[in-house]
Amino acid sequence: MIRIAPSILAADYARLGEQAAELEGAGADLVHCDVMDGSFVPAISFGGGVISAIASSSPVPLDIHLMVENPEKQVRLLAGLKPKIMTFHVEAVEEPLDLAREIRSGGALAGAAIKPNTPIKRLLELLPEIDLALVMTVEPGKGGQPFMEEMLPRIATVARAVSESGLETLIEVDGGIDENTIAAASAAGADTFVAGTSVFGDPVGIADAVKRLRTCAQQATGS
Ligand code: DX5
Ligand code: ZN
């Protein structure tokens, strides 16, 4: 199953409620919310207040991506918003298994994300204890960057490990996903696609962009 997760980071913040509301009719599976703290990554984005406003404007399930130091704090703060997925970075925690357990005990799916230069082993060893593996396809921190094709073998490695272990872990990719890059990511084994610029910046519109991305991803897997 292909899931498209538009990233609200690329929305027009002056029309945030309206844009979030549009995602349901557009057929988005998730709304991806990037929390940045100005420390784990240079920029600061938004936190619980804004995510709560998004949740009140749209019934599309929340996919929260924590690009923060000490994600334990945000996990606790944001659990009340009842996200579908809460993802932390392996680089930001010392006890990833404890945090994954805490996320699950709050009722969310636990995700672990990995930056492009971190050895993939750090993600592979967590697979049995997480619900989603997020392979970053850009350096985290901002939208609009080009997709790093050299991440494709990492996606394939994770997909192979998931299938060989008989797991059902979702495989998400984030960064530079558009109609030209989604097929390769899908063919490599990703099933959940974050897309910011290519959805909110689409000249035709959000709904059309989501539909085209889904078609490209499906064609790549023959589904
Ligand atoms: C980048 C964020 C992404 C970002 C993707 O650090 O994690 O979710 O919004 O934006 P695009 O799709 O424009 O690369
Ligand atoms: Zn993200």
Side-chain angles (χ1 to χ4, degrees):
M1 180 188 166
I2 303 287
R3 291 170 205 80
I4 306 291
S7 171
I8 212 80
L9 190 69
D12 175 355
Y13 291 179
R15 298 191 299 121
L16 199 52
E18 214 177 293
Q19 297 233 291
E22 222 180 310
L23 293 177
E24 186 190 14
D29 300 284
L30 297 159
V31 49
H32 185 83
C33 300
D34 289 298
V35 179
M36 303 182 187
D37 65 352
S39 176
F40 183 75
V41 293
I44 292 177
S45 59
F46 48 75
V50 168
I51 300 176
S52 170
I54 292 163
S56 350
S57 311
S58 168
V60 177
L62 299 171
D63 171 28
I64 300 181
H65 178 192
L66 297 172
M67 283 167 277
V68 301
E69 304 284 1
N70 303 313
E72 299 83 358
K73 282 190 205 165
Q74 291 302 321
V75 162
R76 272 160 224 155
L77 278 169
L78 301 177
L81 298 176
K82 297 288 168 208
K84 168 99 182 264
I85 303 167
M86 185 107 79
T87 299
F88 60 86
H89 266 268
V90 299
E91 300 86 359
V93 282
E94 283 181 8
E95 302 291 349
L97 297 183
D98 289 352
L99 189 55
R101 233 167 271 137
E102 181 166 350
I103 293 171
R104 282 173 161 179
S105 73
L109 299 179
I114 191 156
K115 297 189 342 177
N117 292 320
T118 305
I120 200 69
K121 181 175 158 281
R122 301 266 308 270
L123 189 57
L124 297 177
E125 62 199 15
L126 298 180
L127 286 179
E129 310 291 337
I130 57 174
D131 304 295
L132 175 142
L134 168 51
V135 179
M136 290 302 300
T137 45
V138 297
E139 196 55 48
K142 59 178 181 199
Q145 304 180 78
F147 180 81
M148 296 169 74
E149 284 200 9
E150 61 272 34
M151 296 299 113
L152 289 169
R154 283 159 66 90
I155 300 166
T157 299
V158 174
R160 206 175 313 117
V162 166
S163 109
E164 283 173 4
S165 316
L167 295 167
E168 290 186 357
T169 322
L170 305 182
I171 303 175
E172 184 171 56
V173 286
D174 184 1
I177 295 294
D178 61 21
E179 276 179 77
N180 299 313
T181 58
I182 197 168
S186 174
D191 50 43
T192 305
F193 303 88
V194 177
T197 310
S198 68
V199 169
F200 288 100
D202 188 88
V204 182
I206 294 174
D208 205 68
V210 169
K211 199 166 154 199
R212 277 183 273 119
L213 284 173
R214 194 186 304 281
T215 305
C216 292
Q218 277 165 346
Q219 279 170 355
T221 58
S223 62

